[in-house]
Amino acid sequence: MMSMNTVPGGAGAFGARQRLATAAGEVAYYRLTALADQGIADVSRLPFTVKIFLENLLRLCGGPHAAEEDVVTLAHWGSGGPADHTFAFLPARVILQDFTGVPAVVDLATMRAAVAKMGGDPQKINPQVQADLVIDHSVQVDRFGSTLAFNFNVEQEYARNGERYALLRWAQQAFQNFSVVPPGTGIVHQVNLEYLAKVVQTRQEGGERVALPDTLVGTDSHTTMINGLGVLGWGVGGIEAEAVLLGQPIEMVTPVVVGFRFTNALPEGATATDLVLTVAEMLRKKGVVGKFVEFFGPGLSQLALADRATLSNMAPEYGATAALFPVDDETLRYLHLTGRDAVVDLVERYTKEQGLFRTDDTPEPIFSDLIELDLSTVEPSLAGPMRPEDRVPLPGVWNSFRSVFPTSSAAAQNSEGGGVAVAPVPTAVDVQLDSERVALRNGSVVIAAITSCTNTSNPTVMVGAGLLAKHAVERGLRVSPSVKTSLAPGSKVVTDYLTQAGLMPYLEALGFHLVGYGCTTCIGNSGPLLDPISEAIQRNNLAVVSVLSGNRNFEGRIHPDVRASYLASPPLVVAYALAGTVELDLAHDPVGEDRSGQPVYLRDIWPSSAEVRETIARALSPEMFKQEYAHVFDGDERWRALPVPEGSLYAWDPDSTYVRMPPFFEEMASEPGPLSDIRGARVLALLGDSITTDHISPAGAIAKDSPAAKYLMAHGVEPRDFNSYGARRGNHEVMIRGTFANIRLRNKLASKEGGWTTYQPGGELMTIYDAAMRYQQEGTPLLILAGRAYGSGSSRDWAAKGTLLLGVKAVIAESYERIHRSNLVGMGVLPLQFRPGENVGTLGLDGRETYEISGIADTLVPGKELSVRAIRADGSEVRFSAVARLDTQVEIEYYRHGGILPAVLRDLVKRA
């Protein structure tokens, strides 16, 4: 065992500040065992998650954010202390991707302008912790199936996004503690995993280096991926992330930590993707929304770090705030593999000294609850056709499709359907593609994409996909031209080792050419289908399929023409591309025929675990990571050629259709006015269960007949140059018009799907945007009524920003996903929750009432019940109570100020 030499030093709170000798010199740190030395608490059996929070408090103790009481209370976690104690958490850094990062930069630039207008120093608006922004969400799959695809798509990306990128270039030179990873480098979470994360950080404090756990929050919900490396982090809304950037801690409530024990090892043929889909299904059933998951048990030593990262990545899909794998020998091995040798000694010494290092002999922590999985029981699976938690074993895929999309008129008549549009076409539709004629039917695969952060960080499944492609090509199998195939890795290292292994030619032979390094299909940047394919789908009302290695498959997300989407491992993505349909059982039916007409089964081309391991061993090396990340912030010649605006204030272009100053701080007084009750409100949308941020926030393509399209065309933008909503998140005018505009939104106040509503009291059907603007002109406040799990999905800040700018004052739902509820509060929109057992149906509401919400103007306290009065057109009333989901006193303060940013801005101006 390595010798750990602790040197007495400055005491700090509880005498915890000590010194630790490392290979790079002595560092100070805040020793957790000091609490036991002081007789306060034995922290050895606390979950690692709680220990990280405790260290954060111990370090903050005595400052403005933490008191000794907070440390003592959390040190007694799980032993009868208050379950709802609030405490501050100040992450070490913030990570952003460009879709959510650009609005954050726009807000910070707007805050600088507001400070200057109020007579303050604009440079007070500056990140107080390290912020890294990775441009990874703007590349689209415009071209595919060609070695020219990558360069073409990148050229298109720059052509579309030059204004946004110029803003980021300005931010990089204008803000301190702010770096930008240029386009074409990789996915934010994989760059974080492979390079940015250090596991243990050091910073200057009191004239010496202080070691601390590397913790973070990010503006992408899949920030949780970094927990696979032993780094505690999770996704927050852009608004909350901005507050952290400006030095504001996150207010936490005593965490609930669910322990997940793994035993044994994965069987032959099962992948990390199959495992994560199994875990997502189990934890969704368990119910871990808003909780922390921590993995433990002897099975951990059988999981490579990339497998762990895959599991942590999908924490939002099973609802957990974060899902932590403690630091252990596998963590150290991965740091060596990825070229971060310089930090390994510090990581090992610090985590062992702090009790943050796991071995197979480590006593199991005491958890809030437990769940267990025998890894040997995991089977090949997909998830779909519409939700990531709906795991389907490989033999059941076709039945899962038919259960949602009946494939004949008779089936449609016998199906209750739940309002889902059925596809009654029973026979194939012939489509001419150049010189080849292909057949499309319900269940045909039209998109097969190896994409997204979930799997492309994992060499096992990526090499597995390459080997399966090799075996398929050697047997003479091919992919139909009706399938849009793509390969969008999370970092350049992936193509390095696929090339080194000799596998890229086989992937390309099946159409899986490199299309970009970024998040593509998984966020709707799948690009257009071939025109004849798209026309045939629309003309015949076909229910076609995408199969992707991503983490999201919500309805309408992947492509407007694609109704069903399945999440799958990269090898299974290749397999379904070969099959061309989900109308088969890949466990038993042939994938295709070889050159001599003999059937080829999946088992015939599936690579063995030994073959995958041997290929990785000879193809992957630390030098690849060192080479690719040596100049990670430099960018290519296109990036370096961009103009770099100068100055501490951003020069807003009044003609820009990409970047505009939002109205969040217009006419903002130095002090907030008194809170008031809501009177005379109308319902803008009456929604059901599982309304995701995909339904609320503008995402994907901008429809040519939408309010956003009309705005762009009025400003001289042709439809071919619309770009996506994500790319235009820096323009609030576009984003307001796209809020609640999802083509699959089902508003019960409208007679058709999409962004429609009925204006009250006139009864006119119009777009949600147009109705909201008319209500605003009349001075009518608006409400949203919804069911369970409102706001699930990606942590899109525009789901809250757009809601606010449409004039919505409150949302009343049965339950919320964590991030969106926080975002609503952060924008000054009141989240209300029906009491248990009550909802729109039980109360007899139809959304055509006029509403009054009382009790806001009185003293607000966390969880206060407010009185709601719904007045029907005939004068009759429904009265009920709803809980104000302002969960902490800090959230009440944010709401009183009209949101986090006005609160922070006022505070900064006062202190200037």
Side-chain angles (χ1 to χ4, degrees), residues 50-63:
V50 177
K51 288 181 184 179
I52 293 170
F53 283 128
L54 188 58
E55 186 280 339
N56 198 276
L57 272 181
L58 198 56
R59 191 161 25 88
L60 296 177
C61 190

Side-chain angles (χ1 to χ4, degrees), residues 356 545 769 870 897-898:
L356 292 171
V545 178
Y769 169 76
H897 278 270

Side-chain angles (χ1 to χ4, degrees), residues 424-438:
V425 181
T427 56
V429 176
D430 285 338
V431 181
Q432 186 69 42
L433 295 177
D434 295 329
S435 60
E436 186 168 351
R437 200 160 186 81
V438 299

Side-chain angles (χ1 to χ4, degrees), residues 782-840:
L782 298 175
L783 305 178
I784 301 292
L785 301 183
R788 296 186 295 270
Y790 182 75
S792 56
S794 301
S795 58
R796 290 187 171 140
D797 56 340
W798 264 106
K801 288 180 176 178
T803 297
L804 170 75
L805 293 178
L806 286 174
V808 175
K809 301 299 182 185
V811 177
I812 311 178
E814 290 182 65
S815 64
Y816 295 86
E817 286 281 43
R818 175 185 60 85
I819 297 176
H820 185 59
R821 185 205 63 81
S822 176
N823 277 352
L824 290 172
V825 176
M827 290 310 301
V829 178
L830 181 62
L832 297 172
Q833 191 159 317
F834 290 107
R835 292 184 299 187
E838 292 185 344
N839 54 41
V840 168

Side-chain angles (χ1 to χ4, degrees), residues 348 436 568 573 678 866:
E348 183 173 6
E436 186 168 351
V573 170
I678 297 172
L866 303 181

Side-chain angles (χ1 to χ4, degrees), residues 20 144 203 253 276 422 844 878 890 894:
L20 177 69
F144 69 101
R203 58 179 51 166
V253 179
V276 72
V422 298
V878 178
V890 170
Y894 289 154

Side-chain angles (χ1 to χ4, degrees), residues 856-877:
I856 301 171
D858 302 332
T859 303
L860 276 176
V861 295
K864 181 180 181 181
E865 284 199 3
L866 303 181
S867 298
V868 184
R869 179 171 167 241
I871 307 152
R872 300 188 179 100
D874 63 6
S876 61
E877 297 180 1

